[in-house]
Structure formats: structure tokens, C-alpha cells
Amino acid sequence: MVSASASNVSAILLLFLSIISTSRVAFCGKFYQDFYITWGGDDHSKMLNNGELLTVSLDNVSGSAFESYNQYLYAKIDMQIKLVAGNSAGTVTTFYLSSTGSYHDEIDFEFLGNLSGDPYILHTNVFCQGKGNREQQFYLWFDPTADFHTYSILWNPQNIIFLVDGLPIRQFKNLESYGIPFPNYQPMRLYSSLWNADNWATRGGLVKIDWTQSPFTASYMNFNADGCIWSYGTSSCDSNSPNSNANKGAWYWEKLDYSDQGKMAWVQNNYMIYNYCTDTKRFPQGFAPECYLTNLP
């Protein structure tokens, strides 16, 4: 449940934690080295500033999308994004990892646009072997259209952690020992897109895109990936691969410590607006099994 407003003390603490957390992120790379445009062409997707800035746009002709050259089997991914400003109702900006096929795995950030003055909704989901329905949604504690903010996916053998400006907002643990699927054998590429979803994105599809406001544009910079690159059926983190231990790095073993759990609880208590683990109307026969195991170490 979202509180009406956070206290001044909590807001100051969150700002401090955000600055400290974000300062730990190291950025590198050019977009043209890591990504290629898959939809919209040069009219709707542009790599600028010598490949350090990428923009995608949506109008009534086309949306746009790009994806990574590399596939990963576990990774820590960081991207700074500035979302569509103004009346973004009906638009969805996505940033996600996904494999392919009907039994695919997927780890989603989706940003659901809204009318001017109303907050964006950050929609998260995890698919395992083709099955999703694990949505959690949040408001953000800042204006995501005013400046760039860092959105991160940490995916390792222990857990999946979603982070915003270094603050954990969601954790999906590896509970395979309890019979719960976890993404651990299908390599995934990184995808991003901006597209028309006004049949569902804003107030369940009641608010449509105002095309007089187009083109709608989202911007990306400072992409960073520390990961196990999948190539020709082998992971760079396999024990028989050169530099396998160095490729893993600290991120490969990372879980939430006590302090991180407190930060995540703060976000969820104040800014979570939907949790599949509490939706009795949608799941009258009972929740997904992981919902009953959230307190396991």
C-alpha cells in the first residue's frame, strides 16, 4: 500500500542512500558496440554523441526498439534512462532481458506512461519457462522524465534483484530446491523499446495516446554490463573458460544483506502499488508458491 507521502526524514535518507549507491556504478562502452536497432530505423532510433547517447521515439507511424549483440547467462546490467516527458499516456518504454521460444525466461522493467502530472508506473515481472504472472508495480519517488536515472537488473544463481538508482526494489530468489522454476539455463539478450500500448497501459486502456503530442522520445546513456557472455553454447563463466573467475566478479555472488533488505522494505512499504502475492481477486485459489517463502534466506 502506498502512503500519502514519505516523511522528510525518510526522503532525506533515501536521497543520501541513492547518492551513495549510484556512486558505486561504473559505466563504459558505446551503444553502437553493444546494440543494434531492430525496429523503427534511423527515423525513430538514433545513436548520438559518438555512440554515448541513444534515443528511441514513437509516432503514429512506428515505434522503435534495439537489442544487444551479446547474450548473457547471468549478468549485472545498468542503464541510465530518461523517460518520455509530458503526456505519455498509452506509451510503454521497456528495458528487459529475455530468451526466445515458448518456454522463454524474461526479466522485465516496463514504464507505463500517464497523463501530465500523474506518476509513471514502473511495472516489473519475471518469466520462468514461459510462465509470468509475477507482476509487481511501483510509483517512483522522483520525476523520471526530468533527468537520467539508473535502472539495474542483477541476475545471478542466487537471485534476481531489480534496482533503481542503486536501491533494491524487488528480489526474486532461486527457490528451485522447493520446486519453483528459476531462470538458470537459457541465455538472454537485453532488449528495449518504445511502443503504443494504449489498449492497456494507462488506466486499463481507458486513456489513449494523444498523437498531437508525438513524437514521444526516451533517451538512454551509460550502459554497463558485467556478465557471463554466452557464445557458441558456452558461458564465459564456465570453469573451463579463460578468466572464468574474473568474469564472475562480486556481482555473481551478491544477495541482499540486512541493510539492503531495509532499503527494499522502505520502497515497497511506500511506493509499491501492486503485488501479485497479495491479489486474492486475481488468484482466488491461492498465490504462487514463492509468495509463501519470501522470508527464507
Side-chain angles (χ1 to χ4, degrees), residues 49-66:
N49 297 349
N50 195 30
E52 294 182 355
L53 176 69
L54 190 155
T55 64
V56 294
S57 63
L58 166 69
D59 58 26
N60 59 358
V61 175
S62 178
S64 48
F66 60 92

Side-chain angles (χ1 to χ4, degrees), residues 71 73 107 113 121 141 150 205 213-214 224 251 285 290:
Q71 291 179 286
L73 188 60
I107 306 169
I121 293 175
W141 48 94
T150 305
Q213 304 297 311
S214 69
N224 186 71
W251 65 268
Q285 304 305 317
E290 64 268 17

Side-chain angles (χ1 to χ4, degrees), residues 2-108:
V2 180
S3 62
S5 63
S7 69
N8 289 336
V9 172
S10 295
I12 294 171
L13 175 61
L14 181 62
L15 177 61
F16 174 76
L17 293 173
S18 297
I19 294 170
I20 296 298
S21 299
T22 307
S23 69
R24 296 199 302 263
V25 179
F27 299 111
C28 62
K30 306 285 189 181
F31 278 105
Y32 57 75
Q33 296 172 334
D34 298 303
F35 297 96
Y36 61 100
I37 305 302
T38 57
W39 179 38
D42 293 341
D43 290 340
H44 293 81
S45 302
K46 301 182 185 299
M47 296 187 186
L48 307 170
N49 297 349
N50 195 30
E52 294 182 355
L53 176 69
L54 190 155
T55 64
V56 294
S57 63
L58 166 69
D59 58 26
N60 59 358
V61 175
S62 178
S64 48
F66 60 92
E67 68 181 66
S68 64
Y69 288 109
N70 285 331
Q71 291 179 286
Y72 304 93
L73 188 60
Y74 303 128
K76 169 70 182 301
I77 305 289
D78 304 298
M79 184 79 83
Q80 289 192 325
I81 306 174
K82 183 163 68 171
L83 297 176
V84 175
N87 181 358
S88 58
T91 70
V92 172
T93 305
T94 69
F95 170 59
Y96 62 102
L97 287 164
S98 182
S99 61
T100 58
S102 56
Y103 294 96
H104 75 292
D105 297 331
E106 189 170 320
I107 306 169
D108 286 341

